[in-house]
Amino acid sequence: MGTTVFERQRPQASVIRHSLADTRHSVFWRDDLPESLTPDRPSLVGTHRADLVVVGGGYTGLWTALLASERTPGAKIVVVEAQRVGWAASGRNGGFCESSLTHGHENGMARWPNEMPLIDGLGLENLDAIEASEATYGMDFQFERTGMLAPAVEPHQVEWAKEWAAEGEEGVVYLDQDEVRASVDSPTYLAGVWEKNTCGMVHPARMAAELARVCEERGIEIFERSHVTALDTSGPGVVVVTEQGRVEASRAALGTNVFPSLIKRNRLMTVPVYDYVLMTEPLSAEQLASIGWNDRQGIGDMANQFHYYRITKDNRILFGGYDAIYYYGRKVDPAHEHRPETWEKLASHFFTTFPQLEGLRFTHQWAGAIDSSTQFTAFFGTARDRRVAYAAGFTGLGVGSTRFAGEVMLDLLDGVSNERTELEMVRKRPIPFPPEPVASMAVNTVRWSLDRADHNLGKRNVLLKTLDALGLGFDS
């Protein structure tokens, strides 16, 4: 087995120690919100009635509520959130808002090749609508349609980049070594592919907060700190029950994603995979000039265990990925968010990528759980005589596709047959994950195999090839 560039070109240990010396465990995006966007909303107390109750105050739930208010003006809509709006993945992700609804074109082609032209078109329409929503609703979540840069950092990835660009997709540009380093100057870059149209950068927590603000302006009620304990459909409608209250509604939409589903048959459909992130202090003008990055693209390298990074409005760099950790028992637990060895690894990889930034410090470190499904992208459905709709399993690429999921759930509740609901990716459920202890053994064996592939010119072993053939696996 060979070594990767991040093993061959490690920075000195003192560089890493200095960079992490004053880092605090806190989500930068949430710390960066103005008080005006973080009102202290009430908990659900007593009995409330609604036409639609939405469980989950992240992107999925908030987009669903907002879109429902447009479809049926004047409808009574209630959102119930266990923590705070945008507290989970919606407020702590990298802010890559992509058009892909299938966790990348390659994953989609492997599963729904005949539908991909339509799916890609729907994805671009969805991204366009998100971009337009800032003006439509008077929101500001710092959307920048900068595209996505995929650098090749190992020699075998250069050929992958050439093959990718040769497919002739609109807006996809191949960059040789000189060109890619003229765009973003990292000595690790050997070539790259720039997808110019399919991704925008956003401020994740601002997006969730602005969606909540607009929802409330349209008359939607949002209750925070209200953990749903039961979903009762024994009567004619749906009753969502919390410790102190209940919402009696005609229909419900579930946007609980990584958390245990209120639909029993969905309990094995996702596993929580923990992702870890660092955020730097703002770069000086000199530091910024040393790396270029004038086009401000999002960046994600081509490895199985890949890094993603982007630049913020105030010229910080978010750097995350690589380690994607599954913990035995599939529980979402705050204790899993503390992993110093991963932050040290990320800091090492950061200064391998940008050695000219030696001396830069990280101000924030945090983590969060991703709802991974066996098809690496969201699945959809209804339950309880079509009174309840759900979407989950976004596998780390939900910033954009959660809006599409909201449209799909509302279509399903309405019994609408259209180009969205007729998609195979909407009609068919993926294979569930096995229960423990098999789940832990399987996921971690696949992670080991992906790491080995990265050390072996990207060549996949028998296990990965078999899972590919079955449409199963694991993605970071």
Side-chain angles (χ1 to χ4, degrees):
M1 291 289 177
T3 57
T4 69
V5 65
F6 301 103
E7 294 161 329
R8 297 190 299 269
Q9 301 177 21
R10 290 177 178 170
Q12 293 184 352
S14 59
V15 174
I16 298 170
R17 286 196 302 270
H18 174 79
S19 71
L20 294 170
D22 299 314
T23 308
R24 57 181 171 142
H25 185 87
S26 185
V27 181
F28 167 80
W29 303 120
R30 292 191 60 81
D31 291 347
D32 194 50
L33 285 179
E35 288 188 14
S36 61
L37 287 178
T38 57
D40 193 9
R41 299 179 175 90
S43 299
L44 180 70
V45 178
T47 299
H48 298 254
R49 290 177 174 81
D51 298 299
L52 173 69
V53 58
V54 178
V55 181
Y59 296 149
T60 306
L62 294 170
W63 276 119
T64 302
L66 177 56
L67 295 169
S69 73
E70 291 187 337
R71 292 190 182 201
T72 311
K76 177 66 173 175
I77 301 168
V78 172
V79 177
V80 184
E81 163 58 37
Q83 296 282 345
R84 302 292 305 278
V85 161
W87 171 82
S90 297
R92 60 181 70 199
N93 63 81
F96 290 68
C97 189
E98 299 194 37
S99 68
S100 177
L101 304 175
T102 59
H103 206 283
H105 186 75
E106 186 176 357
N107 184 53
M109 286 298 294
R111 301 177 191 283
W112 308 289
N114 295 331
E115 293 184 341
M116 281 307 292
L118 174 57
I119 294 173
D120 284 344
L122 291 171
L124 280 170
E125 288 178 13
N126 182 66
L127 182 60
D128 290 343
I130 292 172
E131 181 176 16
S133 67
E134 283 194 308
T136 301
Y137 302 111
M139 293 192 283
D140 175 17
F141 43 82
Q142 299 175 6
F143 188 97
E144 296 179 89
R145 190 79 169 253
T146 56
M148 184 80 172
L149 177 67
V153 299
E154 301 289 348
H156 67 272
Q157 295 172 2
V158 175
E159 290 305 311
W160 293 353
K162 290 178 179 178
E163 292 170 3
W164 179 359
E167 292 175 1
E169 295 176 47
E170 184 179 355
V172 176
V173 179
Y174 173 78
L175 304 175
D176 64 22
Q177 186 170 31
D178 290 340
E179 290 168 332
V180 73
R181 291 193 61 176
S183 180
V184 182
D185 191 9
S186 169
T188 66
Y189 291 1
L190 306 177
V193 172
W194 184 8
E195 289 186 291
K196 293 190 173 185
N197 303 322
T198 59
C199 185
M201 296 293 104
V202 304
H203 186 303
R206 284 191 72 101
M207 175 179 265
E210 287 280 59
L211 282 169
R213 178 182 63 79
V214 172
C215 280
E216 289 176 320
E217 288 176 356
R218 297 175 68 88
I220 297 167
E221 285 190 281
I222 301 175
F223 295 97
E224 296 181 322
R225 301 184 183 91
S226 302
H227 176 67
V228 174
T229 58
L231 184 69
D232 182 2
T233 53
S234 58
V238 179
V239 181
V240 164
V241 182
T242 69
E243 292 181 355
Q244 295 182 286
R246 54 195 276 135
V247 181
E248 299 174 353
S250 302
R251 306 183 299 177
L254 307 182
T256 53
N257 298 319
V258 76
F259 297 96
S261 177
L262 294 166
I263 304 297
K264 187 175 181 180
R265 69 169 183 259
N266 285 347
R267 293 288 174 89
L268 295 179
M269 297 301 292
T270 62
V271 294
V273 178
Y274 276 80
D275 186 40
Y276 299 82
V277 178
L278 292 171
M279 181 73 87
T280 74
E281 62 192 346
L283 274 64
S284 67
E286 293 77 15
Q287 288 170 325
L288 193 58
S290 74
I291 60 172
W293 213 344
N294 296 321
D295 294 313
R296 303 178 62 83
Q297 313 99 313
I299 301 177
D301 63 47
M302 295 185 181
N304 290 301
Q305 292 185 279
F306 63 91
H307 309 86
Y308 59 86
Y309 38 115
R310 50 81 54 95
I311 196 161
T312 67
K313 186 176 182 179
D314 62 347
N315 294 329
R316 299 170 182 263
I317 297 176
L318 176 144
F319 195 84
Y322 194 79
D323 275 348
I325 308 299
Y326 173 76
Y327 293 91
Y328 186 93
R330 71 205 313 151
K331 289 184 179 179
V332 178
D333 186 340
H336 298 333
E337 297 177 19
H338 295 269
R339 191 174 169 84
E341 62 267 39
T342 292
W343 288 313
E344 290 174 7
K345 186 183 298 180
L346 284 172
S348 175
H349 294 182
F350 177 89
F351 289 109
T352 296
T353 303
F354 296 122
Q356 62 270 52
L357 296 181
E358 181 178 319
L360 193 68
R361 291 176 178 265
F362 297 103
T363 59
H364 292 71
Q365 58 188 29
W366 71 90
I370 294 169
D371 57 325
S372 187
S373 72
T374 57
Q375 67 184 20
F376 305 156
T377 192
F379 62 91
F380 313 86
T382 61
R384 315 289 177 88
D385 298 322
R386 218 183 70 215
R387 284 174 282 173
V388 179
Y390 56 81
F394 295 93
T395 318
L397 219 66
V399 176
S401 59
T402 46
R403 182 189 179 280
F404 176 81
E407 296 275 27
V408 169
M409 284 197 287
L410 295 173
D411 288 342
L412 294 175
L413 288 173
D414 290 339
V416 172
S417 177
N418 59 23
E419 58 186 4
R420 287 188 292 259
T421 59
E422 291 303 311
L423 291 171
E424 184 180 347
M425 67 174 286
V426 171
R427 292 185 292 107
K428 295 186 178 180
R429 289 158 55 90
I431 297 171
F433 287 96
E436 295 291 14
V438 178
S440 183
M441 291 187 292
V443 171
N444 287 313
T445 299
V446 172
R447 282 195 70 245
W448 177 86
S449 297
L450 291 170
D451 180 67
R452 292 302 87 195
D454 286 337
H455 286 78
N456 190 29
L457 306 179
K459 296 176 182 176
R460 299 169 79 82
N461 64 16
V462 173
L463 172 62
L464 294 179
K465 289 179 180 178
T466 300
L467 293 174
D468 290 343
L470 295 173
L472 296 169
F474 176 82
D475 194 13
S476 62

